[in-house]
Amino acid sequence: MSRLSVKHLLGTDELNSSDLGTIFEMADHFKEVINRPIKKVPTLRDTTIANVFFENSTRTRISFELAEKRLSADTVNFSASASSLKKGETLLDTINNILAMKVDMLVIRHSSPGACHFLSRKIDATIINAGDGTHEHPTQALLDCYSILKEKGRIKGLKVAIIGDILHSRVALSNIFALQKLGAEIMVSGPNTLIPRHIEMLGVKKEVNVQAALEWADVANILRIQLERQKSRAFPSLREYSLYYGINKKMIDSLNKEILIMHPGPINRGVEIDSDVADSNRSIILDQVENGVAIRMAVLYLLAPTLQNN
Ligand code: CP
């Protein structure tokens, strides 16, 4: 039996509020562990984990690797650019060959939405989705929710504005599912061309005026413009985007309240967020990164097949 209601972590859509509480409780424990002089526990010493990244990553990849090392797991890393994919091997063949070497868990990032769901129907090993195209990025949402909880002491009743390129963002969707289960109100904001049609059907508010969204919100999670995923330009130029939708100090200073500033990274300074907002004392961007290691340790521990009967 899994300690969560799921065998894999494919998305926050599939988690229930009890799962979220269990993950945050374990993250509290592991946050204490990684702040000790000796940051390592032997918990996963019998577990082998492959980090299989078909897309670029800095934070997620290093964070998972550190989480695995802190738990004493054996780890291997796969990069698509240096693999036999270049010679025509399929995704499923690649994964089955990795698993033949007695790997217990897979952390997978892929550009295709649904890649992790597809693999979960074909293989036995436990899968953690580290971002599948524009679909979900569950551990990012978990670390975002956990960071809000640590800063504000609660999530229920908070107003969270997700601002920027919602259309191409897996972070937005995973945050919407997780935050709603925790009782937050959510607003998405940005140019109409970067907000999915009918998004209100998910139970979120929509506001194209980012200043109005900031005035409404307790927390602003600002997202990167994902030019690499845009098939056609959603706005005339980055300069114009920055002028009308970028978050700057003047906008934040005009608010008659404290607001928490978040960003999942990577940041495009001067486009969706100015440096004097990203680096201000209202920003918890680096706390999010720090909390990511504890959250990923919690997820790995709670899903590890080698621990399920203990
Ligand atoms: N937030 C995030 O997923 O960053 P990376 O793409 O660097 O992993």
Side-chain angles (χ1 to χ4, degrees), residues 154-196:
R154 69 184 170 104
I155 292 187
K156 196 172 169 59
L158 284 182
K159 294 175 175 169
V160 181
I162 305 175
I163 300 174
D165 184 352
I166 313 297
L167 186 65
H168 302 97
S169 174
R170 51 197 176 206
V171 175
L173 197 57
S174 286
N175 262 274
I176 289 169
F177 292 141
L179 284 165
Q180 281 180 335
K181 284 168 191 173
L182 294 164
E185 275 186 79
I186 301 155
M187 177 182 279
V188 294
S189 183
N192 245 328
T193 48
L194 288 178
I195 297 180

Side-chain angles (χ1 to χ4, degrees), residues 56-61 109 137 140 170 264-266:
N56 294 344
S57 170
T58 299
R59 279 147 290 273
T60 311
R61 186 175 179 145
R109 172 169 286 193
H137 191 351
Q140 180 67 46
R170 51 197 176 206

Side-chain angles (χ1 to χ4, degrees), residues 280-294:
S280 70
N281 57 12
R282 292 184 172 97
S283 162
I284 58 162
I285 294 171
L286 290 178
D287 302 278
Q288 290 172 257
V289 178
E290 182 184 337
N291 289 332
V293 178

